[in-house]
């Protein structure tokens, strides 16, 4: 069946945006201005993008407030109050999906004691363990694994190769990208006697008279609890807690290759960007943003609303509302001032050398 797309009026209504021109025109996909065809919606959210419209064939554009859509040669325009935010609605409306089939694939292995809600689809070679519960309308992609007594809320969407461990509890509308893993054991080991690393940590340098010892595993008795509307990126992992669950709050979004260690508590509406590593037993507040490659030391807290710039290493507690940067992470403005001062050091050293030379020459003359 041919996709007839959406009319300008339908899209504007879905976005709560203004529609101008021939609102009966239909578009089938979103495209960049320079490559857009007559059937595309050209995304031109500022003048720079709009300048490229002449290179394409678009008749309809998503523009910014005050844009002269007729002067740009368009037959119709959609103008939201915040174009960037409108992109979330446009992409949802025009997302073609992953092509996963409905129903249960014959190659899927589902334990008889598992409970699947109404309308759940399960892809090929997926395994669903005993006692697992999957909420209505969920889509479980190919080659996924859902463990013993795990629970997923309604509307879950698991891409290919996602693994959910035993006893994990996940809220509604969970999204997991390929290769995500939730519910592996925590990285917890101990030695029979005080270890060199324990001594180094307490003394900040000395290993004292500790001896080399083998490591003994501490098993993870806790699991993982995720709230509603949580998303996890490709190849990211969340470890089980040692005694209590590792917890991630509602609407938190986790990027690719992120690690969240055992016993962590992550609040609501957080963003953890690519390659973030959070060590065990960290308490992260609400609305926290950790930029790419941020590292967080264990057993500390990060207050509500903290923003950590990319590459920062957080080694101590961070109060609420602070923007930080650097290694070790400090106030962002302090880091910038320090960096500026570091850049001036070569000039300062030359000035000091010149002064020393002048002073020593003066002493010899006397």
């Amino acid at each position: 069946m041919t996709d007839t797309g959406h009319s300008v009026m339908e899209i504007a209504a879905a976005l709560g945006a203004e529609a101008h021109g021939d609102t009966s025109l239909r578009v089938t996909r979103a495209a960049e201005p320079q490559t857009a065809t007559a059937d595309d919606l050209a995304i031109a959210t500022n003048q720079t993008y709009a300048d490229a419209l002449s290179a394409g064939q678009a008749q309809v554009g998503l523009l910014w407030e005050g844009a002269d859509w007729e002067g740009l040669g368009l037959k119709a325009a959609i103008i939201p109050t915040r174009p960037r935010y409108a992109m979330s609605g446009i992409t949802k409306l025009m997302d073609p999906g992953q092509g996963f089939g409905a129903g249960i694939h014959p190659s899927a292995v589902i334990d008889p004691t598992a409970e699947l809600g109404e309308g759940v689809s399960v892809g090929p070679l997926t395994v669903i363990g005993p006692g697992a519960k999957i909420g209505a309308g969920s889509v479980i992609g190919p080659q996924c694994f859902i463990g013993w007594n795990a629970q997923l809320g309604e509307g879950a969407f698991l891409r290919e190769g996602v693994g959910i461990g035993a006893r994990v509890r996940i809220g509604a509308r969970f999204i997991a990208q390929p290769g995500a893993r939730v519910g592996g054991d925590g990285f917890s080991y101990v030695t029979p006697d005080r270890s060199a690393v324990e001594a180094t940590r307490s003394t900040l340098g000395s290993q004292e008279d500790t001896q080399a010892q083998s490591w003994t595993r501490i098993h993870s008795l806790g699991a993982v609890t995720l709230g509603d509307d949580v998303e996890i990126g490709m190849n990211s992992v969340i470890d089980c807690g040692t005694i209590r669950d590792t917890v991630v709050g509602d609407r938190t979004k986790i990027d690719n290759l992120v690690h969240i260690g055992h016993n962590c508590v992550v609040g609501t509406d957080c963003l953890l960007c690519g390659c973030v590593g959070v060590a065990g037993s960290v308490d992260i507040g609400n609305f926290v943003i950790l930029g790419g490659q941020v590292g967080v030391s264990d057993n500390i807290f990060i207050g509500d609303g903290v923003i950590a710039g990319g590459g920062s290493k957080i080694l101590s507690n961070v109060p609420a509302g602070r923007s930080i940067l650097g290694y070790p992470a400090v106030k962002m403005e302090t880091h910038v001032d320090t960096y500026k001062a570091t850049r001036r050091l070569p000039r300062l050293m030359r000035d000091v050398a010149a002064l020393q030379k002048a002073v020593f020459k003066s002493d010899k003359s006397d």
Side-chain angles (χ1 to χ4, degrees):
M1 184 176 179
T2 303
D3 183 8
T4 59
H6 306 275
S7 73
V8 171
M9 182 56 71
E10 290 169 349
I11 296 172
L15 300 178
E18 296 178 1
H20 301 272
D22 185 354
T23 59
S24 66
L25 286 173
R26 304 187 73 83
V27 292
T28 57
R29 67 182 190 124
E32 295 184 332
Q34 64 271 27
T35 60
T37 70
D39 295 325
D40 293 337
L41 172 64
I43 307 299
T45 54
N46 59 45
Q47 187 64 56
T48 300
Y49 291 117
D51 289 342
L53 280 168
S54 59
Q57 301 173 350
Q59 301 182 88
V60 182
L62 178 75
L63 306 178
W64 67 100
E65 286 187 313
D68 180 7
W69 60 274
E70 291 176 301
L72 292 170
L74 298 172
K75 294 182 179 180
I78 299 167
I79 301 182
T81 55
R82 178 162 153 75
R84 174 71 176 169
Y85 188 73
M87 287 291 293
S88 64
I90 286 289
T91 53
K92 180 178 180 180
L93 194 65
M94 296 187 172
D95 188 349
Q98 296 299 315
F100 295 162
I104 310 299
H105 194 275
S107 67
V109 179
I110 303 176
D111 189 274
T113 63
E115 299 179 18
L116 275 59
E118 183 178 356
V120 170
S121 66
V122 181
L125 303 178
T126 282
V127 176
I128 300 179
K133 296 180 180 179
I134 300 176
S138 294
V139 176
I140 312 300
Q143 299 182 332
C144 291
F145 175 83
I146 299 175
W148 168 63
N149 283 345
Q151 298 180 26
L152 277 73
E154 64 180 19
F157 180 56
L158 274 57
R159 289 279 303 272
E160 54 273 23
V162 172
I164 306 297
R167 300 174 285 110
V168 169
R169 294 175 294 171
I170 298 176
R173 298 171 298 279
F174 173 64
I175 296 176
Q177 299 297 332
R181 294 287 187 267
V182 180
D185 276 1
F187 191 72
S188 299
Y189 299 89
V190 67
T191 52
D193 298 315
R194 178 177 165 89
S195 68
V197 71
E198 289 175 291
T200 299
R201 179 167 182 152
S202 64
T203 63
L204 296 181
S206 173
Q207 297 187 22
E208 299 177 332
D209 58 352
T210 56
Q211 302 297 314
Q213 304 170 72
S214 296
W215 297 99
T216 300
R217 147 186 278 270
I218 298 176
H219 290 250
S220 295
L221 304 183
V224 176
T225 298
L226 307 182
D228 295 337
D229 300 294
V230 171
E231 299 187 21
I232 299 181
M234 292 183 287
N235 295 324
S236 288
V237 296
I238 304 178
D239 290 352
C240 289
T242 306
I243 304 297
R244 58 179 171 83
D245 286 1
T246 301
V247 177
V248 176
D250 295 345
R251 299 176 300 280
T252 283
K253 316 301 182 187
I254 297 168
D255 197 2
N256 303 333
L257 297 169
V258 171
H259 170 259
I260 298 178
H262 60 281
N263 300 337
C264 287
V265 176
V266 181
T268 62
D269 296 287
C270 295
L271 292 179
L272 276 60
C273 301
C275 298
V276 161
V278 183
S281 300
V282 173
D283 191 340
I284 297 176
N286 304 321
F287 301 98
V288 170
I289 299 175
L290 303 182
Q293 298 187 336
V294 165
V296 184
S297 184
D298 62 290
N299 289 281
I300 64 173
F301 72 81
I302 299 174
D304 292 349
V306 167
I307 298 175
S312 297
K313 308 305 173 190
I314 305 175
L315 307 181
S316 58
N317 298 332
V318 184
R322 181 164 292 180
S323 296
I324 58 176
L325 186 64
Y327 183 2
V330 294
K331 288 182 180 180
M332 195 168 285
E333 57 268 32
T334 300
H335 175 82
V336 171
D337 288 343
T338 302
Y339 178 73
K340 290 178 179 178
T342 301
R343 290 288 302 272
R344 288 193 289 265
L345 279 176
R347 184 177 63 189
L348 177 62
M349 295 301 294
R350 288 194 298 270
D351 292 345
V352 170
L355 288 170
Q356 287 178 324
K357 186 176 181 180
V359 169
F360 292 151
K361 185 181 293 184
S362 174
D363 289 344
K364 289 179 180 179
S365 298
D366 292 343

